[in-house]
């Protein structure tokens, strides 16, 4: 049965790494719903957070393939219940829409905030899950959405084992060899 999975991949920061990571999904004909990349809590180690819908069997095979890549330290797979996650969405609408209080009411109801107001447009920010950011988009449509952008998922795991612990274990196992 297909479910949504969050894959965290910890790598060295090397040129072409994102391509090498994503090609593994492409080869298995898996569509990536979102991908984000940033430095992790460990200096010099980068984290890719990848969201996809597939079966557990397929995602486990992907994890195995990812861990075979030279610059990958470790890859993990998590179900939604095992992570705390958010996305950010930006909405650009016409400033003229502000003339009645309806837009402000919609913004308040969705716990969004206005980032900037320009004579021609304003930018609104909303953090939350996809359903929440999409609902605000639908509610802002009548006021003229000029642009809409949503980030990929940013997630941290609920289990308390820190990535630095995995690095120490990896280092210790390499010394034993």
């Amino acid at each position: 049965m297909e479910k949504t999975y969050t894959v965290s991949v910890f790598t060295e920061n090397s040129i072409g790494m994102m391509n090498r990571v994503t090609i593994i999904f492409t080869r298995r004909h898996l569509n990536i719903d979102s991908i984000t990349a940033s430095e992790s809590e460990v200096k010099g180690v980068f984290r890719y957070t990848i969201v996809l819908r597939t079966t557990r069997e397929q995602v486990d095979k992907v994890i195995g393939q990812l861990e075979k890549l030279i610059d990958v330290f470790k890859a993990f797979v998590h179900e939604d219940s095992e992570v705390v996650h958010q996305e950010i969405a930006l909405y650009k609408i016409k400033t003229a829409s502000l003339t009645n209080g309806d837009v402000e009411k919609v913004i308040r109801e969705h716990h969004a905030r206005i980032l900037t107001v320009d004579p021609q447009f304003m930018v609104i920010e909303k953090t939350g899950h996809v359903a929440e950011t999409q609902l605000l988009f639908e509610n802002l449509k009548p006021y003229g959405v000029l642009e809409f952008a949503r980030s990929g998922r940013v997630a941290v795991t609920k289990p308390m084992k820190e990535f630095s612990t995995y690095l120490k274990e990896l280092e210790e196992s390499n010394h034993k060899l």
Side-chain angles (χ1 to χ4, degrees):
M1 181 175 87
E2 284 197 355
K3 293 170 81 171
T4 299
Y5 293 97
T6 301
V7 174
S8 298
V9 185
F10 292 89
T11 73
E12 290 184 19
N13 185 22
S14 56
I15 295 170
M17 195 67 219
M18 184 174 293
N19 183 51
R20 286 183 282 168
V21 167
T22 57
I23 200 78
I24 290 173
F25 293 86
T26 305
R27 285 187 191 139
R28 294 198 172 275
H29 302 284
L30 294 172
N31 187 44
I32 294 173
D33 292 340
S34 75
I35 185 168
T36 58
S38 67
E39 195 165 12
S40 74
E41 68 276 13
V42 178
K43 187 171 177 55
V45 176
F46 274 68
R47 176 190 193 130
Y48 295 88
T49 303
I50 303 162
V51 179
L52 71 153
R53 279 194 64 73
T54 189
T55 63
R56 184 64 193 217
E57 180 185 358
Q58 278 283 69
V59 79
D60 286 341
K61 287 178 183 177
V62 166
I63 294 297
Q65 289 292 300
L66 287 167
E67 289 189 336
K68 289 179 183 177
L69 292 175
I70 290 173
D71 292 338
V72 170
F73 294 116
K74 187 76 178 149
F76 302 94
V77 61
H78 300 284
E79 294 183 17
D80 279 352
S81 62
E82 300 171 315
V83 294
V84 177
H85 62 92
Q86 292 285 292
E87 295 186 4
I88 185 172
L90 298 178
Y91 312 80
K92 182 175 164 184
I93 65 170
K94 296 175 188 170
T95 303
S97 304
L98 275 178
T99 54
N100 62 24
D102 294 344
V103 172
E104 289 179 67
K105 184 179 174 190
V106 169
I107 294 168
R108 271 196 299 293
E109 286 172 353
H110 288 272
H111 304 288
R113 67 185 191 124
I114 298 171
L115 290 182
T116 186
V117 178
D118 188 85
Q120 286 81 37
F121 65 89
M122 61 189 272
V123 178
I124 300 162
E125 172 196 55
K126 166 76 177 148
T127 56
H129 295 167
V130 174
E132 296 168 312
T133 57
Q134 189 63 36
L135 181 60
L136 178 55
F137 175 74
E138 297 300 327
N139 289 336
L140 288 174
K141 260 187 186 176
Y143 304 103
V145 177
L146 302 170
E147 285 185 57
F148 171 66
R150 183 171 35 231
S151 73
R153 178 179 286 189
V154 178
V156 292
T157 59
K158 289 181 182 177
M160 284 304 295
K161 193 171 188 180
E162 296 176 12
F163 177 67
S164 56
T165 306
Y166 289 106
L167 278 179
K168 286 178 189 170
E169 290 171 2
L170 183 64
E171 194 174 296
E172 288 170 6
S173 68
N174 286 341
H175 287 341
K176 290 179 184 175
L177 299 175

